[in-house]
Amino acid sequence: MFDDDFEFDNPEEARSSVERYEEMIRNKDQYFFDADAFEKIIDYYIEKNDPIKAMQVVEYALSQHPYASNFFIKQAQLYMMTSQTAKAYKLLEKAESLEPSNGDIYILRGNLLENQERHQEALENYQKALLFAEDSDEICLQIAYVYQNLGAYEDAIVYLKRCLEANMEHQDALYELAFCYDVLDKQEESIHFYEQYIDEEPYSYAAWYNLGNAYIKLEMYEKAIDAYDYAILIKENFAAAYFNKGNALVGLERYMEAINVYRQTFEYEQPDAETYCCMGECYEKLEMMDEARSFYKKAVKLDARLSEGWFGIGVTLDFEERWFESLHFYKKALELDASNPEYWFALGDSHSKLGNVEEAEEAYEKVMELAPDDIEIWLDYSSLMFEEGKNEEAIAIISEGIKNNTGAAELYYRMVAYLFANGQYKEAISYLEQALIADPEKYELLFEYLPQLQNNKVIIDIVNRYIGE
């Protein structure tokens, strides 16, 4: 019978219409219904996801109201639900011939065209719908979606703002606007918009939340936390705001506070793998490895495909110098995300610590391929070769690193060490001067790696020339 969960402008009228229609079917009789009653009955069956019964009502409605365009539109909608696109187009043409000023025709046709990726034609229909529709917010949102699909995010922003002008409380538009600003990397504009919006709608939890997200992208963590706090004040059970507040606290290295805030999300939604993983990372940063490992294990138990969880377990074992055990978990992470240079780097480091030089080389080579701008990989890989007595290979690796990172003083200083150790003093002096030009304050890196160079008068004189006595 009638389900009270469905929303109608007048639920009693809708209930009466549906019950009367079903009585007619049971009695195998024919009753007369006005067009409005038929629409309520059709909508009821559509809401119940029963297109067959809804289509039967439409056909009966057309027998009593053969020139009512709304029933051809409803029929088209039902054909769309059952993927009978050609029939839907024909019915919309019929409806347009009867009532060309009905905006619903152009909205549905726009939906059909957009589903077929005929974006420009979809836009033309939505624009036409705007001419006739009383409520423009949903149409503006649809136009924004089309522009997003076209990659025209600036145009999408224009229509999302128009949507919000028509309906200031439109949640989807608020979130889509934040997404567009994010794609365009226009966080300052996003902040400006949401601040203005909040001036008019101070109790919009979605606006405060999106403002916090924009602040967090700019690493303005304190302001982000304030924004999330306002969102939570307005909507106490806003789990996403607690989660992102936790992320902001991580950005401030306030890890224990972050853990407590992440835990608060569980009061309002089921624990999820990502949150457990974030909590594990916080404990890891606090060097509380048992707790970190416990939460990483909880994460992978909930989602075995979460590579960060497997990797995190490996990191905790690595910290405890359980390198052989860490290998298993790094490999599990790489099975799920083979293009992650951080995972390959960790795998290479564990192999290196275990003396598995060939395996370490293979992993390091992969890191260089995936992340040639990571300065540490060139330092670590060349150091492995240097410690193996392969000075020429170490020099060649650092040379390649410098080609990929011409402004990295660390690489020039390391090259000086290798060249001196290899007896190439002239070349070493040349690289030392380049290192000092790049960043004179990092000269101590040279002595940290090869302390005996502190006794070399030539090097000390050159360093002093750049940094002063």
Side-chain angles (χ1 to χ4, degrees):
M1 248 336 194
F2 191 82
D3 190 334
D4 287 320
D5 289 342
F6 299 120
E7 292 182 11
F8 292 92
D9 291 337
N10 190 327
E12 285 305 315
E13 271 187 33
R15 179 198 298 273
S16 174
S17 297
V18 171
E19 289 178 350
R20 188 163 170 260
Y21 174 79
E22 292 189 347
E23 177 189 276
M24 181 192 78
I25 297 298
R26 282 196 305 273
N27 296 337
K28 297 179 181 179
D29 204 346
Q30 287 195 355
Y31 298 172
F32 179 82
F33 295 85
D34 63 26
D36 186 54
F38 270 128
E39 285 198 48
K40 287 181 171 64
I41 300 165
I42 296 162
D43 287 341
Y44 172 74
Y45 287 121
I46 289 173
E47 288 283 353
K48 281 191 74 175
N49 198 26
D50 193 342
I52 294 171
K53 278 189 180 177
M55 187 66 83
Q56 289 168 351
V57 181
V58 171
E59 288 168 359
Y60 187 57
L62 282 168
S63 71
Q64 292 190 0
H65 305 276
Y67 301 108
S69 65
N70 277 354
F71 297 129
F72 290 107
I73 294 169
K74 291 288 185 191
Q75 207 167 28
Q77 187 180 348
L78 289 162
Y79 279 130
M80 285 172 66
M81 287 171 68
T82 53
S83 301
Q84 298 181 67
T85 306
K87 288 181 179 178
Y89 276 124
K90 283 184 181 177
L91 285 161
L92 290 173
E93 284 177 20
K94 176 76 172 172
E96 188 176 6
S97 70
L98 291 168
E99 191 184 0
S101 61
N102 189 323
D104 290 342
I105 297 164
Y106 308 106
I107 294 170
L108 278 181
R109 190 184 285 145
N111 294 162
L112 278 168
L113 291 162
E114 182 62 4
N115 288 339
Q116 295 178 324
E117 298 187 5
R118 293 159 67 180
H119 304 302
Q120 290 302 331
E121 292 170 85
L123 283 174
E124 289 166 16
N125 276 271
Y126 289 139
Q127 293 288 1
K128 207 165 184 180
L130 279 177
L131 299 174
F132 303 118
E134 289 181 17
D135 299 321
S136 62
D137 56 336
E138 288 299 328
I139 303 168
C140 287
L141 182 64
Q142 290 302 319
I143 293 172
Y145 285 144
V146 178
Y147 278 124
Q148 285 184 32
N149 288 333
L150 289 167
Y153 294 100
E154 296 280 9
D155 293 313
I157 286 170
V158 170
Y159 279 91
L160 289 167
K161 287 182 177 178
R162 281 186 64 177
C163 174
L164 289 165
E165 284 168 14
N167 178 5
M168 283 288 283
E169 296 179 5
H170 202 300
Q171 301 290 315
D172 288 344
L174 280 171
Y175 287 110
E176 291 300 324
L177 194 59
F179 170 74
C180 289
Y181 278 127
D182 195 23
V183 170
L184 293 168
D185 197 23
K186 291 190 172 182
Q187 305 305 335
E188 291 88 351
E189 282 187 36
S190 184
I191 288 167
H192 179 68
F193 171 81
Y194 284 107
E195 284 177 340
Q196 283 190 321
Y197 182 90
I198 286 164
D199 285 342
E200 293 185 45
E201 293 283 331
Y203 296 105
S204 171
Y205 63 85
W208 282 109
Y209 174 74
N210 286 314
L211 179 62
N213 292 347
Y215 278 132
I216 215 169
K217 296 267 172 44
L218 293 175
E219 298 183 5
M220 299 168 72
Y221 300 119
E222 294 283 6
K223 288 193 170 185
I225 290 167
D226 288 342
Y228 294 134
D229 280 340
Y230 278 113
I232 292 164
L233 194 63
I234 297 161
K235 187 182 180 185
E236 188 183 359
N237 65 344
F238 197 177
Y242 287 102
F243 180 78
N244 281 7
K245 180 183 175 182
N247 293 341
L249 287 163
V250 169
L252 292 169
E253 300 182 8
R254 289 156 59 180
Y255 300 116
M256 194 53 76
E257 287 177 72
I259 289 166
N260 292 331
V261 174
Y262 286 137
R263 192 171 276 115
Q264 282 181 280
T265 66
F266 303 153
E267 295 174 25
Y268 307 110
E269 65 179 16
Q270 287 295 311
D272 67 277
E274 187 180 359
T275 308
Y276 278 144
C277 203
C278 289
M279 294 171 79
E281 191 173 350
C282 288
Y283 280 118
E284 180 196 316
K285 296 289 187 186
L286 292 166
E287 298 187 1
M288 299 168 70
M289 294 303 168
D290 286 340
E291 291 85 348
R293 191 156 51 245
S294 169
F295 277 95
Y296 284 135
K297 284 180 178 178
K298 287 180 180 182
V300 296
K301 188 175 180 180
L302 279 182
D303 182 2
R305 297 198 59 75
L306 187 69
S307 63
E308 297 98 314
W310 296 110
F311 178 71
I313 296 170
V315 170
T316 65
L317 293 165
D318 189 302
F319 182 86
E320 295 170 353
E321 299 185 5
R322 295 159 66 182
W323 300 308
F324 183 76
E325 291 173 75
S326 75
L327 290 175
H328 169 73
F329 294 98
Y330 291 150
K331 287 173 183 175
K332 286 279 288 184
L334 282 164
E335 284 172 17
L336 297 165
D337 185 3
S339 61
N340 190 313
E342 187 181 5
Y343 298 174
W344 284 107
F345 207 150
L347 182 72
D349 278 352
S350 284
H351 276 305
S352 176
K353 290 163 186 169
L354 288 164
N356 304 333
V357 177
E358 285 185 20
E359 291 88 342
E361 283 187 58
E362 285 176 21
Y364 287 154
E365 291 278 356
K366 195 72 179 174
V367 182
M368 292 192 301
E369 176 192 323
L370 293 167
D373 57 345
D374 185 338
I375 293 163
E376 293 301 318
I377 185 57
W378 304 101
L379 295 171
D380 282 19
Y381 188 15
S382 63
S383 184
L384 176 66
M385 294 295 97
F386 185 69
E387 286 163 15
E388 288 291 308
K390 299 177 179 179
N391 292 12
E392 294 294 342
E393 286 91 333
I395 290 166
I397 290 165
I398 282 291
S399 179
E400 191 63 27
I402 288 170
K403 286 179 191 173
N404 283 278
N405 303 274
T406 53
E410 297 93 330
L411 299 178
Y412 290 94
Y413 284 114
R414 183 63 64 84
M415 179 67 100
V416 175
Y418 294 157
L419 288 169
F420 258 96
N422 209 41
Q424 295 172 251
Y425 306 121
K426 187 177 177 183
E427 293 90 337
I429 296 299
S430 172
Y431 273 98
L432 177 59
E433 291 188 332
Q434 291 179 67
L436 289 162
I437 290 166
D439 192 340
E441 292 181 9
K442 289 183 177 175
Y443 74 92
E444 289 184 358
L445 292 172
L446 177 61
F447 303 135
E448 284 174 16
Y449 193 75
L450 224 59
Q452 60 265 40
L453 291 179
Q454 290 179 88
N455 302 318
N456 187 302
K457 187 175 184 307
V458 175
I459 286 181
I460 296 299
D461 287 345
I462 294 169
V463 169
N464 286 339
R465 234 189 304 143
Y466 282 87
I467 65 168
E469 294 291 341

